[in-house]
Amino acid sequence: MSTAPQSKDQLIIFDTTLRDGEQSPGASMTRDEKVRIAKMLEKMKVDVIEAGFAIASPGDFEAVKAVAEVVKDSTVCSLARAVPADIEKAGEAIKPANSGRIHTFIATSPIHMQYKLMMEPDQVLERAVEMVKLARNLCDDVEFSLEDGSRSEFEFQSRIIEAVINAGASTINIPDTVGYGEPDEYGLMFKRLIENVPNADKAIFSTHCHNDLGLAVANSLSAVMNGVRQVECTINGLGERAGNASLEEIVMAVRTRSDVFPVETHIDPVHIVPTSRLVSSITGFPVQPNKAIVGANAFAHESGIHQDGVLKHRETYEIMKAEDVGWNTNKLVLGKHSGRAAVKARFEDLGISFQTQQELDEAFAKFKELADKKHEIFDEDLQALVSDSTAPEIEEKYGFSNLEAISKSGNKPRASLTINAAGEDFSSEAEGDGLVDAAFKAIEKVVHSDAELQLYLVNAVTQGTDSLGDVTVRLQKEGVIVNGQGSDTDIIVASVKAYLNALNLLAAGVLKSHPQKDCV
Ligand code: KIV
Ligand code: ZN
């Protein structure tokens, strides 16, 4: 018996890695980093890219504008509180976009209105309508969010939604801001609103879920089952506190269970894993090995029974193909004999392009240097190489040479190195609790940075003991956060490179302060 193909609605994928994702403490991104990620999202065919919060800082304004200038195929959006200055800034930032959107929000739950906004519901409604109208004067595409919407009262939700749709909002987002929602209840909330708000058919309803109870993806999918046609999500589930619903999980759930979900997306999933890696290397947030879709073990079978089953018939234990989401697509393994064209092409496949010939030459030289040490070069190695080579162009105040690190049973580990600070060489040595600690202490004896080490992270980029070690060092000084990056086959060298890179970023004033910390 054959069943007639069901027609599917389009599910709009709204990625907010560059805005809500950036709100994870320490995950702030520079303008150029945002542009690199945005280009990958565009390649993946994300429908809407929320590039930032234009009013939050001059840096974020520039980042949204830069993304609006380069992205052609996705809609580029800026967040704005429901205040005129925010909306005007957002409108200015997205002006260069082929297709732009202003996303404005105000809290609608009793607790937020009373204690945070100190406004009566009628005042909130009036403000929302005025601000949607203002936004519509600047841009045809306006989204309105009821902040803390999942804890708001039905009567008020209905009134404000009807009013902002009449004022010109074409997307209505009801976030589960504090991650309190439960799938059935959250889904039914949408069903009831879509059925009862008189002009609901004039707007697309949207979900935006936080993961405080680990339910962000379940809540988003329940919303979809109840009529929602836009999901707001982030790569690797990055986001404020416990994060947002993860893009890769939403997209692959809808695709893999197309027998259940009445929707399809435009997403080309083959770019998922490279994008996940890019976001992880830029933010310094590692992906846990057992993370669905993008974790290193997501497609690994350890138990003998499973391995046997997969060898006999893949579908016994696999519901998706690893290649479909971008694993193992790297058929072309690069090595020391690979030419510039092959290396450049592979970089481009990974979403990494070079603005100048000199940048390409530098990346190629690093590639050759690595190929001398390591037999086969994989995608992960190339990603790690460019975390160095496409990092923000800064003047390097600190460099190092002559690193010696000694670890001997029974003795305290000891590191000595020569630090070049502003053109002058200083020798330094120190003991520590491990070689990395000793090396960092030796650096600090010269630099006296007063910075606080917030994160030290080592990632073996590929399998094998000859793997590149990719190190992230996050330093914080006077509210400014920087992520230094370094990679090398020698972990101590990679660590020193990452620490000095972080110090150089601090010295150069490459600010990564929390983008919304001054917005209340
Ligand atoms: O979580 C939230 O409520 C938000 C809104 C600003 C959309 O991020
Ligand atoms: Zn949010």
Side-chain angles (χ1 to χ4, degrees), residues 38-50:
K39 283 187 182 162
M40 277 303 263
L41 295 173
E42 181 185 34
K43 205 166 171 184
M44 202 198 284
K45 299 197 169 46
V46 159
D47 300 285
V48 186
I49 299 173
E50 187 162 56

Side-chain angles (χ1 to χ4, degrees), residues 16 19-21 23 50 79 147 173 175-178 208-210 232 239-241 243-244:
T16 182
R19 198 277 297 170
D20 215 324
Q23 283 172 229
E50 187 162 56
L79 186 67
E147 193 194 5
N173 183 40
D176 184 26
T177 302
V178 292
H208 173 117
C209 293
H210 282 271
E232 302 195 355
E240 182 98 41
R241 305 183 311 279
N244 287 62

